[in-house]
Amino acid sequence: MVKETGRLTIPSDQDFLAETQQLIAQWGADAIRDSDGTKLDTALKQLSVKLYSTYFVARGYNDFVEKHPETIQELYLLSDRVAATEPEVTIPFMAHYFNQQIRPNYHDDPHTYWEVIDRTTGIVVPTTDWTLLPDADTVTVHHAVPYHEYTVSFLAELIWDPTEMYNHLTNHWGDVPHQVPFDVRYPVAQEFMQNTLRQWLAANPEIDVVRFTTFFYHFTLVFDNEEREKFVDWLGYGGTVSVPALKAFEQVKGYRLRPEDFVDAGYYNSSYRVPSQHYRDYIDFVARFVADQAKILVDLVHDAGKEAMMFLGDNWIGTEPYGPYFKDIGLDAVVGSVGNATTLRLISDIPHVKYTEGRFLPYFFPDVFHAGGDPIPEAKTNWLTARRAIMRQPVDRIGYGGYLKLAAQFPEFVDYVTHVADEFRDIYSKIHGVKPYAGLTVGVLNAWGKLRTWQPFIVAHGKWYKQAYSYEGVLEALAGQAVNVRFLSFADVAAGIPEDIDVLINVGGAGTAFSGGAAWQDPVLVARIRAWVAAGHGFVGIGEPTAIPGTYAGRTFQLADVLGVDQEVGFSLSTDKYQPTPVDDHFLTHGLTMPLNYGESTHNIYAFPETAVIASSAHEVYLTSHEYGAGRGVYLAGLPFSPQNANLLLRMLYWAAKREDTFQTWYANNPETEVAAYPAAGWYAVLNNTQAPQETTVYTTGGHQTTVQLNPEEIRWERIDHEHKG
Amino acid sequence: MVKETGRLTIPSDQDFLAETQQLIAQWGADAIRDSDGTKLDTALKQLSVKLYSTYFVARGYNDFVEKHPETIQELYLLSDRVAATEPEVTIPFMAHYFNQQIRPNYHDDPHTYWEVIDRTTGIVVPTTDWTLLPDADTVTVHHAVPYHEYTVSFLAELIWDPTEMYNHLTNHWGDVPHQVPFDVRYPVAQEFMQNTLRQWLAANPEIDVVRFTTFFYHFTLVFDNEEREKFVDWLGYGGTVSVPALKAFEQVKGYRLRPEDFVDAGYYNSSYRVPSQHYRDYIDFVARFVADQAKILVDLVHDAGKEAMMFLGDNWIGTEPYGPYFKDIGLDAVVGSVGNATTLRLISDIPHVKYTEGRFLPYFFPDVFHAGGDPIPEAKTNWLTARRAIMRQPVDRIGYGGYLKLAAQFPEFVDYVTHVADEFRDIYSKIHGVKPYAGLTVGVLNAWGKLRTWQPFIVAHGKWYKQAYSYEGVLEALAGQAVNVRFLSFADVAAGIPEDIDVLINVGGAGTAFSGGAAWQDPVLVARIRAWVAAGHGFVGIGEPTAIPGTYAGRTFQLADVLGVDQEVGFSLSTDKYQPTPVDDHFLTHGLTMPLNYGESTHNIYAFPETAVIASSAHEVYLTSHEYGAGRGVYLAGLPFSPQNANLLLRMLYWAAKREDTFQTWYANNPETEVAAYPAAGWYAVLNNTQAPQETTVYTTGGHQTTVQLNPEEIRWERIDHEHKG
């Protein structure tokens, strides 16, 4: 059997041709990319591999920006809240901002484009009641009310590209000019950008793939006066605004946006906020624009006979890979960084591209690849966590980044990459284009729906948050499980729950976009779900599902009647709660080690009398099941990711859908192992997700079961024979 | 020295004259009372003690009620929430109610006085859209929206006095007629009640004190169809309603109340709910009526040459001892059950009576006083916890209840009561009428203010609640500490913070009446407090102080700027929080054992950069201090009662008020001990609050300190000499 090659992109390095050739052969690589800090060696062009070149669209052209300073990118920022102590209060609105990154926009009339707000009343201060002192970067409010807090929402220029700033400060680049990003909103910038690309394409005939890093607008990343991160939102549209954008928005949408629509009382439309209609409109407006402009560039790339790939990150804002305009861009490929199963699926599920590529860890950088360092543990964890998701929906290629020379100094790591590349290609060859077995179809229900497919709970890509990890575990579990996953918005569900959905999941903290907040005051939504569950479907709530912070209409959880639990926020202490006797033995926890791990957990949840309590303590419940008509509601207090919790979630889904009789189908009972089956291809695989040997009982179909011994990390492929087909 | 006697009430028993005489002598008792299940033996009349007789005003007169069934007491109840599954839905509104206690009122037109509500929309169903089937106790809603939830708010007769019902069911009284309470709202009932009392007074010339148990309306106590407590609110006005009351209210207040004003979406105006203006008006209306009617009875008692005492409990609703009309009743005394320091102060602080009396534990009942039982531990705990409060504001008398014969069988207990009575009289003789030293004046700030003095967080008297204990500790600490305590409402503070207040405390869960909920959206309130703190005062927040559930105007805690902390509810995760380095050594925790106990604690609190963090974990803070102008804000995550936590609270108060330099004044450094000083009387006392020996350093004035060894439970009295006066 000829060993398969390809589907692997590796970084290049300077003066490293022979070794690169050797690694290409060993790894079976078929593409070479440049990275931050490396350029493609012209000698590489003689190799029979594709060449990727990183391409920056809107940064690194300071000459242009100097000629057209009006095109500098902008964002709305909120000052500190300053309490007046007398009828005149001065707000140094640049306080705590980094003046090398941020510069107030004084050329567009501040009295037109800025807003001063009395935050204690919410009232906008009339423009006649405040004066600006540009030399001091201060606003003085007159006729202030003592001990009210005032803020200034100001339009500011982004005079340093956030990624370049981060790298500069981290690596102490010193006296190197800062890259000032320009805004393609301006026709002169569009023209420059297109001409620049045309020239570059002509000048770089050897490049096969233009890797846009990325397009026009960086996710929001603002530093503070101590040169530290002050605000970061990987999904934030902060840096997309400008006076022409505001004017165009008004023309397209028929109304004018206020600064407050951007600064959002200081929350800046975090994706945890239930998005306002204004913010939804703005996203739509920017995404349409980005798609239009990106398409022009992609067409130029195609005209030059090259492929267009976009990096999922950095200046990716507005591309919205799961939005309505992404397909119009015409990209060939998307590449993104893989941190776990969720991020793998975030890349691999992207529609309307010819292929997707996942960049794996570790990056070949000296922080890991140094004398005494060991890159293998990170590589193994990364591969094993992502592999679960690849079994559901593979990326089409994998890759690495950094300095190839560094990796080459670690022969065991080189061997491990060989193993990963071979295993990836083997998986891909078997399952690419084959629909894996899925026992259920799950709808993840929140305010964002499809637009934020695999993106809920992300604040900064890959960063852990106390308020997120107990919910993110749900996505991480689902990303590698034998279920179909769809992301549905409240509007989707209110309009009619899609036929194929078996179970809806609502997971998150009260009042957030993920739990839903005020959406649950919509009678159409709640009645629709009740009827659907009563007709025999399942509703899974995790954390504070369907919650209105505080209370609404006598409930905190608006679907308390479906879930069979509610949260005691203090108002119903007078009503006795006779907590049902916990169930001794229940399908939901069969084989699991108690107590379960709820992460941050959710407190003060009580069960209704007819609810089955499966896990509880003296004064609150954690895991329950409730019959509602012909369907079920299942509640859990929190689900940080762990193999056992992933198993628990799968049980909850099957139980809620009343499919527990089919649970043991293409299933392995050891939570450290999982089964992926491809009946159409005649394969099934048993995965050992750990670095230790595992024994597991594998259930195929028709009640057949076998006990399997797996080596560490093993993926055991078996043919589906007649017997297994039951 | 002649041993003092008196100030002690003991229960009586049948055929127990000689022994009673002996105990009167040993204990120095000067009053005898009957109890539930005992009657005063006529032989007792020869003793030279006062006789108390329990008197029930509105229960135990079934003959009257049978003649005047329209006077039966009533309440508004809410049915279960029933989801329609088709356009017609039938609600069995008596489901889960106890039909021996509750009977629907069908004689006042239900279509006028009941309400059917679509809880999914909040819309009241037109009376033309529902029909009533009295024989089945059902309401059928027509034109219902499928999968909306419907409720019936119905007027019901209370056909069994709740206390008598409880005793009946608990003691299995069997075929004994149920006492049906009547409503003094009806003139015929007033006349009957007054005549009955007149006759009783004439027939009982030997009685010295009429102990009203109590007046007209029982606190809300409703049982379920399994004869268990279903709803209990010691402060609830549920049982005060009637059609005449509704009509009178409309006349007095100028608008009509709805059933929803009573059932309150099922929360029934729990004192945890921010009270609506309608409910405040209703309390005022009932309290005015109760005072008027009670005054008539009290006048009759006085005319008969007797004293009028009221029991603080059972049918006490509307008396409102801290309300504006209580003084009009003209009572001589109030007696109440003492469970801890807070309940002692609840009794002893009541104004406008000649004396107060605390009934101590244990009750002389067989549950404790049986062969092998030991009543002493409960007695000791009860006395030691209450004694702290007595040192601040003594009740004028103490007492016990139950069967005297039972207690007499426990000679060591008899001796302990002797000790308690002697110690109480000794304390009383030294400090009665003397203002104790108070280093500070503290205002407890919530929606209720003075009306609920010492009553916040109570649901059922003496019952522990998970959602209350971490806040109740604040009151329990304050009740025995060397500070003046005032209860202030938001309206009080918005109108101007009283001159004498040094520190405000806001303690409770977000959205409750104790934290305040929407009150904090009042710009006048927040500006007033900010200005006041900035001028050099202190603000202490415990739990979720000043919180709007979810968020408002960019904050969860509306005085986050004063406290220097806010709660992360998910919306500001994008903003980096650089948690200040915890302070190594701080006044607030000097001498305390770490970690502190926050009870249920409060989660996701983060500190602002300039805030001093005194206790924290990796991702949240628990105890902080923040300078605001010339004043301070201090935050704590929760304060269940413990001696150490009481000490911590005292430190927080002094620190917030910037009086930490005077903290060691009349102060003992061992938290198990406390100092009470009475400069005007020339005494100070060092209390050992435990049943173990304690060593403590006592700070008097002017920096003087001595080390004191205390016996278990000891109270050490010392004269204040010149030296100590510094």
Side-chain angles (χ1 to χ4, degrees):
Chain A
M1 194 171 93
V2 180
K3 190 174 135 177
E4 286 203 55
T5 61
R7 305 205 169 280
L8 175 67
T9 306
I10 62 171
S12 63
D13 219 327
Q14 311 288 322
D15 307 318
F16 202 57
L17 186 63
E19 296 88 339
T20 302
Q21 242 171 331
Q22 198 277 321
L23 285 168
I24 285 171
Q26 179 171 350
W27 289 344
D30 61 351
I32 290 189
R33 56 167 290 209
D34 57 356
S35 299
D36 289 352
T38 66
K39 286 282 149 210
L40 289 173
D41 208 316
T42 47
L44 293 168
K45 296 165 192 172
Q46 59 188 273
L47 303 177
S48 60
V49 292
K50 276 187 175 181
L51 296 185
Y52 291 13
S53 177
T54 298
Y55 189 86
F56 296 104
V57 171
R59 63 180 252 215
Y61 305 100
N62 284 9
D63 287 352
F64 172 78
V65 174
E66 275 164 34
K67 268 182 248 158
H68 303 280
E70 77 283 4
T71 67
I72 294 173
Q73 289 194 4
E74 298 189 309
L75 72 175
Y76 267 115
L77 293 173
L78 186 69
S79 75
D80 287 345
R81 299 161 76 108
V82 177
T85 56
E86 49 186 79
E88 194 167 284
V89 57
T90 293
I91 303 166
F93 53 83
M94 276 291 290
H96 301 115
Y97 287 105
F98 181 33
N99 62 11
Q100 292 185 52
Q101 188 198 12
I102 300 297
R103 184 170 69 194
N105 170 347
Y106 291 129
H107 60 270
D108 291 308
D109 177 28
H111 280 83
T112 303
Y113 291 105
W114 299 19
E115 228 171 35
V116 179
I117 295 184
D118 176 343
R119 292 284 168 190
T120 304
T121 61
I123 295 170
V124 177
V125 174
T127 50
T128 49
D129 270 354
W130 56 270
T131 49
L132 174 68
L133 204 58
D135 288 344
D137 293 335
T138 61
V139 160
T140 297
V141 181
H142 313 288
H143 311 116
V145 184
Y147 291 99
H148 284 206
E149 287 189 308
Y150 291 85
T151 60
V152 177
S153 308
F154 63 105
L155 200 51
E157 293 174 334
L158 189 69
I159 55 174
W160 199 351
D161 175 82
T163 291
E164 205 244 342
M165 174 179 67
Y166 175 85
N167 290 335
H168 181 114
L169 295 173
T170 304
N171 301 317
H172 310 289
W173 288 349
D175 193 22
V176 170
H178 303 169
Q179 295 184 359
V180 185
F182 66 80
D183 187 349
V184 71
R185 176 66 64 179
Y186 296 85
V188 65
Q190 292 167 20
E191 194 192 334
F192 172 78
M193 164 184 83
Q194 291 158 19
N195 287 339
T196 304
L197 178 60
R198 272 193 206 95
Q199 289 161 21
W200 185 92
L201 289 168
N204 290 274
E206 73 289 358
I207 296 299
D208 303 289
V209 179
V210 181
R211 184 183 184 275
F212 286 104
T213 306
T214 305
F215 290 111
F216 316 121
Y217 300 113
H218 202 284
F219 63 84
T220 319
L221 177 60
V222 176
F223 271 38
D224 73 6
N225 57 323
E226 297 182 46
E227 307 187 4
R228 303 174 303 187
E229 187 182 280
K230 177 180 173 66
F231 182 91
V232 59
D233 181 1
W234 196 67
L235 303 151
Y237 275 66
T240 63
V241 76
S242 63
V243 168
L246 291 170
K247 288 179 172 166
F249 178 93
E250 190 178 352
Q251 276 210 318
V252 173
K253 300 290 183 184
Y255 67 96
R256 183 179 295 196
L257 292 173
R258 286 175 47 201
E260 189 63 12
D261 290 316
F262 295 90
V263 303
D264 181 24
Y267 300 126
Y268 295 98
N269 301 299
S270 154
S271 68
Y272 281 70
R273 296 277 279 170
V274 175
S276 66
Q277 190 55 50
H278 286 196
Y279 189 55
R280 289 178 189 274
D281 286 351
Y282 185 71
I283 287 178
D284 183 81
F285 164 77
V286 172
R288 176 75 269 173
F289 174 77
V290 165
D292 291 345
Q293 290 299 320
K295 177 179 170 24
I296 295 170
L297 303 189
V298 169
D299 286 350
L300 290 176
V301 170
H302 288 164
D303 290 349
K306 304 183 195 303
E307 289 185 334
M309 172 183 274
M310 90 164 213
F311 173 61
L312 191 79
D314 291 2
N315 298 57
W316 77 304
I317 293 301
T319 61
E320 295 296 353
Y322 295 94
Y325 311 124
F326 181 73
K327 67 176 182 301
D328 301 342
I329 302 177
L331 282 163
D332 299 284
V334 172
V335 60
S337 172
V338 175
N340 53 15
T342 309
T343 49
L344 188 291
R345 289 293 291 274
L346 168 55
I347 300 163
S348 69
D349 278 11
I350 291 176
H352 309 303
V353 288
K354 297 198 187 82
Y355 63 94
T356 59
E357 179 170 315
R359 191 190 70 204
F360 280 70
L361 298 173
Y363 213 76
F364 304 167
F365 259 13
D367 56 343
V368 174
F369 292 84
H370 57 78
D374 182 1
I376 291 181
E378 188 179 356
K380 286 194 171 190
T381 302
N382 191 233
W383 175 241
L384 291 177
T385 53
R387 192 178 65 178
R388 296 176 59 237
I390 289 175
M391 300 305 284
R392 304 302 310 163
Q393 175 65 48
V395 286
D396 298 286
R397 305 180 52 83
I398 64 172
Y400 292 90
Y403 300 101
L404 194 57
K405 274 181 192 164
L406 287 178
Q409 288 159 27
F410 291 77
E412 287 178 28
F413 176 74
V414 168
D415 287 346
Y416 190 73
V417 172
T418 308
H419 161 74
V420 167
D422 288 344
E423 187 164 278
F424 169 71
R425 285 183 289 247
D426 184 46
I427 293 169
Y428 194 85
S429 71
K430 288 189 171 76
I431 73 166
H432 167 57
V434 180
K435 190 174 153 38
Y437 168 78
L440 294 170
T441 296
V442 178
V444 178
L445 176 61
N446 59 44
W448 290 107
K450 186 182 166 194
L451 190 72
R452 290 279 171 271
T453 295
W454 300 113
Q455 294 157 70
F457 307 112
I458 295 174
V459 177
H461 191 277
K463 207 163 144 188
W464 180 95
Y465 288 84
K466 172 179 163 67
Q467 291 82 2
Y469 78 96
S470 309
Y471 305 136
E472 272 181 331
V474 172
L475 298 183
E476 184 64 9
L478 289 174
Q481 288 181 316
V483 295
N484 300 316
V485 181
R486 295 182 62 175
F487 290 80
L488 300 173
S489 72
F490 297 118
D492 294 339
V493 164
I497 302 169
E499 276 287 320
D500 60 336
I501 300 292
D502 299 298
V503 188
L504 286 172
I505 300 183
N506 182 234
V507 46
T512 64
F514 309 118
S515 170
W520 293 108
Q521 294 178 16
D522 173 14
V524 174
L525 176 70
V526 297
R528 176 81 70 182
I529 295 176
R530 283 185 186 131
W532 178 82
V533 175
H537 297 96
F539 188 82
V540 168
I542 298 175
E544 296 174 324
T546 80
I548 300 295
T551 183
Y552 173 75
R555 297 280 201 225
T556 295
F557 292 176
Q558 297 305 300
L559 287 180
D561 57 329
V562 172
L563 291 165
V565 301
D566 201 358
Q567 188 166 33
E568 175 58 77
V569 297
F571 301 148
S572 59
L573 292 173
S574 283
T575 298
D576 291 86
K577 283 110 189 169
Y578 295 99
Q579 189 173 299
T581 308
V583 177
D584 266 345
D585 183 56
H586 197 283
F587 170 81
L588 286 174
T589 51
H590 273 180
L592 302 188
T593 304
M594 305 299 279
L596 302 171
N597 174 10
Y598 313 107
E600 295 296 300
S601 197
T602 307
H603 297 292
N604 300 313
I605 305 298
Y606 67 95
F608 297 169
E610 67 278 13
T611 300
V613 172
I614 297 131
S616 61
S617 62
H619 299 282
E620 58 192 14
V621 303
Y622 305 112
L623 175 62
T624 63
S625 169
H626 182 249
E627 305 288 318
Y628 187 84
R632 281 183 184 144
V634 177
Y635 175 78
L636 180 69
L639 190 115
F641 183 76
S642 71
Q644 167 159 302
N645 274 353
N647 187 275
L648 170 63
L649 179 66
L650 200 62
R651 289 175 175 277
M652 290 168 64
L653 298 173
Y654 271 82
W655 178 258
K658 292 190 146 177
R659 299 271 188 82
E660 62 273 17
D661 58 324
T662 66
F663 180 65
Q664 288 182 334
T665 305
W666 302 120
Y667 170 74
N669 73 343
N670 175 346
E672 306 284 4
T673 68
E674 284 175 306
V675 176
Y678 309 87
W683 284 112
Y684 75 93
V686 188
L687 279 78
N688 178 354
N689 293 330
T690 74
Q691 298 174 41
Q694 298 289 345
E695 177 177 297
T696 189
T697 299
V698 173
Y699 299 82
T700 57
T701 59
H704 291 279
Q705 62 184 79
T706 50
T707 300
V708 178
Q709 309 289 336
L710 296 166
N711 293 323
E713 308 177 45
E714 184 178 357
I715 173 165
R716 175 85 54 90
W717 290 96
E718 301 282 356
R719 276 283 170 197
I720 300 177
D721 56 28
H722 273 290
E723 193 183 28
H724 285 127
K725 281 178 180 160
Chain B
M1 195 171 91
V2 181
K3 191 173 136 180
E4 286 205 54
T5 61
R7 306 205 169 280
L8 176 66
T9 306
I10 63 171
S12 64
D13 219 327
Q14 310 290 322
D15 307 319
F16 203 58
L17 186 63
E19 296 90 337
T20 302
Q21 248 173 323
Q22 198 276 321
L23 284 168
I24 285 171
Q26 178 171 348
W27 288 344
D30 61 352
I32 290 192
R33 55 165 292 207
D34 58 354
S35 298
D36 289 350
T38 67
K39 287 283 149 212
L40 289 172
D41 209 318
T42 48
L44 293 168
K45 296 165 191 173
Q46 58 189 276
L47 303 176
S48 62
V49 293
K50 275 189 177 179
L51 296 184
Y52 291 13
S53 178
T54 297
Y55 188 87
F56 296 103
V57 171
R59 64 181 249 215
Y61 306 100
N62 283 9
D63 288 351
F64 171 79
V65 173
E66 276 164 32
K67 269 182 246 156
H68 303 280
E70 77 282 5
T71 68
I72 294 174
Q73 289 193 5
E74 298 189 309
L75 70 175
Y76 267 116
L77 293 173
L78 185 68
S79 74
D80 288 346
R81 301 162 75 107
V82 177
T85 56
E86 46 188 80
E88 194 166 281
V89 58
T90 294
I91 303 166
F93 52 84
M94 276 291 289
H96 300 115
Y97 286 106
F98 181 32
N99 63 11
Q100 292 184 51
Q101 188 197 11
I102 300 299
R103 184 171 68 194
N105 171 347
Y106 290 130
H107 59 269
D108 291 309
D109 178 28
H111 281 84
T112 303
Y113 291 104
W114 298 18
E115 226 170 39
V116 179
I117 294 183
D118 177 343
R119 292 286 168 189
T120 304
T121 60
I123 294 170
V124 178
V125 175
T127 51
T128 49
D129 270 353
W130 57 270
T131 50
L132 174 67
L133 201 58
D135 290 344
D137 293 336
T138 60
V139 160
T140 298
V141 182
H142 312 289
H143 310 117
V145 184
Y147 291 100
H148 284 209
E149 286 189 307
Y150 291 85
T151 60
V152 177
S153 308
F154 62 106
L155 199 52
E157 294 175 333
L158 191 67
I159 55 174
W160 201 349
D161 175 82
T163 291
E164 207 244 339
M165 173 180 69
Y166 176 84
N167 291 335
H168 181 114
L169 295 174
T170 304
N171 301 317
H172 309 291
W173 288 348
D175 192 21
V176 170
H178 303 169
Q179 294 184 359
V180 185
F182 66 80
D183 187 349
V184 72
R185 175 66 63 179
Y186 297 86
V188 64
Q190 292 167 21
E191 194 189 335
F192 171 78
M193 167 183 81
Q194 291 159 20
N195 287 338
T196 304
L197 179 59
R198 272 192 205 93
Q199 291 161 22
W200 185 92
L201 289 168
N204 291 276
E206 73 287 358
I207 296 299
D208 303 289
V209 178
V210 182
R211 183 183 185 275
F212 287 104
T213 307
T214 304
F215 291 111
F216 316 120
Y217 301 112
H218 202 284
F219 64 83
T220 318
L221 178 60
V222 176
F223 270 38
D224 72 7
N225 57 324
E226 298 183 44
E227 305 187 5
R228 303 174 301 189
E229 187 182 282
K230 177 180 171 66
F231 183 91
V232 59
D233 181 1
W234 197 69
L235 304 151
Y237 275 66
T240 62
V241 78
S242 63
V243 168
L246 291 170
K247 287 178 174 166
F249 179 92
E250 189 177 351
Q251 276 210 319
V252 174
K253 299 291 182 185
Y255 66 96
R256 184 178 295 194
L257 292 172
R258 286 175 47 199
E260 188 63 12
D261 289 316
F262 295 89
V263 303
D264 181 25
Y267 300 127
Y268 295 97
N269 300 299
S270 156
S271 69
Y272 281 69
R273 296 276 280 170
V274 175
S276 65
Q277 191 55 50
H278 286 197
Y279 188 55
R280 291 177 188 275
D281 285 351
Y282 186 72
I283 288 178
D284 183 80
F285 164 78
V286 172
R288 176 75 269 174
F289 174 77
V290 165
D292 291 345
Q293 291 299 320
K295 176 180 170 27
I296 295 170
L297 303 188
V298 168
D299 286 350
L300 291 175
V301 171
H302 288 165
D303 291 347
K306 304 182 195 306
E307 289 186 335
M309 172 183 274
M310 91 164 211
F311 173 62
L312 191 79
D314 292 2
N315 298 58
W316 78 303
I317 292 302
T319 61
E320 295 295 355
Y322 294 93
Y325 311 123
F326 182 73
K327 67 174 181 305
D328 300 342
I329 303 176
L331 284 162
D332 299 284
V334 172
V335 60
S337 173
V338 175
N340 54 16
T342 309
T343 50
L344 188 293
R345 288 294 291 274
L346 168 56
I347 301 162
S348 69
D349 278 10
I350 290 176
H352 310 302
V353 288
K354 299 198 185 80
Y355 61 96
T356 58
E357 180 172 315
R359 193 191 70 204
F360 279 70
L361 297 174
Y363 212 74
F364 303 167
F365 259 13
D367 57 340
V368 173
F369 292 85
H370 57 77
D374 182 359
I376 292 181
E378 188 179 354
K380 287 194 171 190
T381 301
N382 191 232
W383 175 242
L384 291 177
T385 52
R387 192 177 65 178
R388 296 176 58 236
I390 289 175
M391 300 304 286
R392 302 304 307 164
Q393 174 65 48
V395 286
D396 300 283
R397 305 180 52 82
I398 63 172
Y400 292 90
Y403 301 100
L404 194 58
K405 273 181 194 165
L406 287 179
Q409 290 161 26
F410 290 77
E412 286 179 28
F413 176 73
V414 168
D415 287 347
Y416 190 71
V417 171
T418 309
H419 161 73
V420 167
D422 287 346
E423 187 164 279
F424 170 69
R425 285 183 289 249
D426 184 46
I427 294 169
Y428 192 84
S429 71
K430 289 191 171 75
I431 73 165
H432 167 57
V434 181
K435 190 173 153 40
Y437 168 79
L440 295 171
T441 296
V442 177
V444 179
L445 175 62
N446 59 44
W448 290 106
K450 187 182 166 195
L451 189 72
R452 291 278 171 270
T453 295
W454 300 112
Q455 293 157 70
F457 307 112
I458 294 175
V459 178
H461 191 276
K463 208 164 144 188
W464 180 94
Y465 288 84
K466 171 180 164 66
Q467 290 82 4
Y469 80 95
S470 310
Y471 306 136
E472 272 179 332
V474 172
L475 299 183
E476 184 64 9
L478 290 174
Q481 287 181 318
V483 295
N484 300 316
V485 181
R486 295 182 62 176
F487 290 81
L488 301 173
S489 72
F490 296 119
D492 294 339
V493 164
I497 301 170
E499 275 288 321
D500 59 337
I501 300 292
D502 299 299
V503 187
L504 286 172
I505 301 184
N506 181 234
V507 46
T512 64
F514 308 118
S515 170
W520 293 108
Q521 293 177 17
D522 174 14
V524 174
L525 177 70
V526 298
R528 177 81 69 181
I529 295 176
R530 282 184 188 132
W532 178 82
V533 175
H537 297 96
F539 188 83
V540 168
I542 299 175
E544 296 174 324
T546 81
I548 300 295
T551 183
Y552 174 75
R555 296 282 200 221
T556 294
F557 292 175
Q558 296 306 300
L559 288 180
D561 58 329
V562 172
L563 291 165
V565 301
D566 201 358
Q567 188 167 32
E568 174 57 76
V569 297
F571 301 148
S572 58
L573 292 172
S574 283
T575 298
D576 291 87
K577 282 111 190 168
Y578 295 98
Q579 190 174 298
T581 307
V583 177
D584 266 344
D585 183 55
H586 198 282
F587 170 81
L588 286 173
T589 52
H590 272 180
L592 302 188
T593 306
M594 306 299 279
L596 302 171
N597 174 9
Y598 313 106
E600 295 297 300
S601 197
T602 306
H603 297 291
N604 300 314
I605 305 298
Y606 66 94
F608 297 169
E610 66 280 14
T611 300
V613 172
I614 296 131
S616 60
S617 61
H619 299 282
E620 57 192 14
V621 303
Y622 304 112
L623 175 62
T624 61
S625 169
H626 181 248
E627 305 288 319
Y628 186 83
R632 281 182 184 146
V634 177
Y635 175 79
L636 179 68
L639 191 114
F641 183 76
S642 71
Q644 167 160 303
N645 274 353
N647 185 276
L648 170 62
L649 180 66
L650 199 63
R651 290 176 175 275
M652 288 167 65
L653 298 173
Y654 271 82
W655 179 259
K658 291 188 145 175
R659 299 271 188 81
E660 63 273 17
D661 58 324
T662 67
F663 180 66
Q664 288 181 335
T665 306
W666 304 119
Y667 170 76
N669 73 343
N670 174 347
E672 306 284 4
T673 69
E674 286 176 305
V675 175
Y678 310 88
W683 285 111
Y684 74 94
V686 188
L687 280 78
N688 177 354
N689 293 330
T690 73
Q691 298 173 41
Q694 298 289 344
E695 176 176 300
T696 188
T697 300
V698 172
Y699 299 82
T700 58
T701 59
H704 291 279
Q705 64 183 78
T706 50
T707 300
V708 178
Q709 310 289 336
L710 295 166
N711 293 324
E713 308 176 45
E714 184 177 357
I715 173 166
R716 175 86 54 90
W717 290 97
E718 301 282 358
R719 278 280 171 202
I720 300 178
D721 57 25
H722 274 292
E723 193 182 25
H724 286 127
K725 282 179 179 158

